[in-house]
C-alpha cells in the first residue's frame, strides 16, 4: 500500500507511510482517504494491493467444520474486494462455506466502519440484523452493526472493551464450537 501511495501521489516513503496510516485511522481504509483527499480511482489501487501471495496461509479444517455448522446464512463482508476474499477463503480451505462474499465494491467503495457501507451490504443480502451476528477484527467496525441490532464478536488477540462489543475471542474456532 505504501508503494502505491508513493507512486500515486509522488511522495517519498515516510510521507506515504504516514498518509497510509492517517487515512486508515481517519477514513477506515487507506483507499477511502486516497479517494476523498486525492480523487484516486479505486480499481487500480485494489488490483495492485491485492496482488499478493497466499502461500503462507494454511487450510483450517477445524474452523471450516465449525463455520459449516452455523445456522442461517453465512456471508463474508470485507473492505478488500470480493475476489481477494475468495482467494483468502480458498487458501484457508474455507471455499464454498459462505452463501455470499461481498467486497468494498459492493458498497460503492464506502468502507467499514461507515454505517452506509453496512446498510448497502445488509440490504443487498437481505440481512435481518436483529437475528444476525457480525464477527470482526477491528473494533470500530462493530459499532454500526451493534447500532443496527446485531450481536457483535471481536476476534483479535487482545480484548477491546466497548459497549458495542458483545463478545471477544482470540480463538474463533473455539468460540464457534461453543455456539454448537
Amino acid at each position: 500500500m505504501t508503494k502505491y501511495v508513493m507512486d500515486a501521489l509522488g511522495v517519498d516513503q515516510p510521507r506515504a507511510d504516514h498518509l497510509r496510516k492517517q487515512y486508515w485511522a481517519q477514513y477506515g481504509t487507506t483507499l477511502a482517504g486516497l479517494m476523498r483527499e486525492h480523487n484516486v480511482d479505486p480499481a487500480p489501487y485494489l488490483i495492485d494491493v491485492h496482488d499478493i501471495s497466499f502461500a503462507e496461509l494454511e487450510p483450517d479444517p477445524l474452523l471450516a467444520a465449525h463455520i459449516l455448522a452455523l445456522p442461517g446464512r453465512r456471508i463474508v463482508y470485507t473492505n478488500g474486494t470480493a475476489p481477494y476474499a475468495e482467494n483468502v477463503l480458498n487458501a484457508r480451505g474455507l471455499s464454498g462455506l459462505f452463501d455470499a462474499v461481498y467486497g468494498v465494491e459492493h458498497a460503492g467503495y464506502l468502507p467499514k466502519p461507515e454505517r452506509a457501507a453496512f446498510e448497502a451490504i445488509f440490504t443487498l443480502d437481505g440481512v435481518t440484523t436483529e437475528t444476525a451476528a457480525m464477527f470482526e477484527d477491528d473494533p470500530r467496525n462493530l459499532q454500526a452493526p451493534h447500532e443496527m441490532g446485531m450481536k457483535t464478536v471481536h476476534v483479535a488477540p487482545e480484548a477491546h472493551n466497548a459497549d458495542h462489543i458483545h463478545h471477544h475471542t482470540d480463538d474463533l474456532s473455539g468460540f464457534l464450537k461453543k455456539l454448537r
Side-chain angles (χ1 to χ4, degrees), residues 125-145:
D125 194 76
V127 171
T128 304
T129 57
E130 297 78 18
T131 60
M134 181 78 179
F135 291 74
E136 175 67 53
D137 64 341
D138 187 339
R140 63 191 173 158
N141 292 345
L142 292 170
Q143 181 72 45

Side-chain angles (χ1 to χ4, degrees), residues 66-128:
H66 294 310
I67 291 171
L68 190 58
L70 291 171
R73 286 180 56 76
R74 298 175 298 269
I75 69 170
V76 171
Y77 170 37
T78 176
N79 271 340
T81 63
Y84 173 78
E86 294 281 3
N87 287 337
V88 172
L89 293 172
N90 187 49
R92 296 285 287 147
L94 306 175
S95 290
L97 301 179
F98 295 91
D99 298 291
V101 177
Y102 299 105
V104 68
E105 68 273 23
H106 294 103
Y109 297 102
L110 290 175
K112 299 183 280 184
E114 290 190 35
R115 183 179 175 120
F118 290 102
E119 289 171 346
I121 297 304
F122 297 164
T123 298
L124 182 62
D125 194 76
V127 171
T128 304

Side-chain angles (χ1 to χ4, degrees), residues 9-77:
L9 303 183
V11 297
D12 63 14
Q13 188 273 329
R15 179 71 180 149
D17 199 44
H18 170 78
L19 289 174
R20 180 184 58 79
K21 292 174 185 175
Q22 176 186 332
Y23 292 159
W24 181 83
Q26 184 176 352
Y27 296 109
T29 63
T30 301
L31 175 59
L34 289 172
M35 290 171 60
R36 290 183 184 150
E37 300 286 334
H38 306 281
N39 203 29
V40 167
D41 180 2
Y45 170 88
L46 290 166
I47 291 168
D48 186 76
V49 302
H50 290 149
D51 185 19
I52 62 172
S53 171
F54 298 94
E56 294 200 26
L57 297 180
E58 296 180 6
D60 189 338
L62 188 58
L63 179 60
H66 294 310
I67 291 171
L68 190 58
L70 291 171
R73 286 180 56 76
R74 298 175 298 269
I75 69 170
V76 171
Y77 170 37

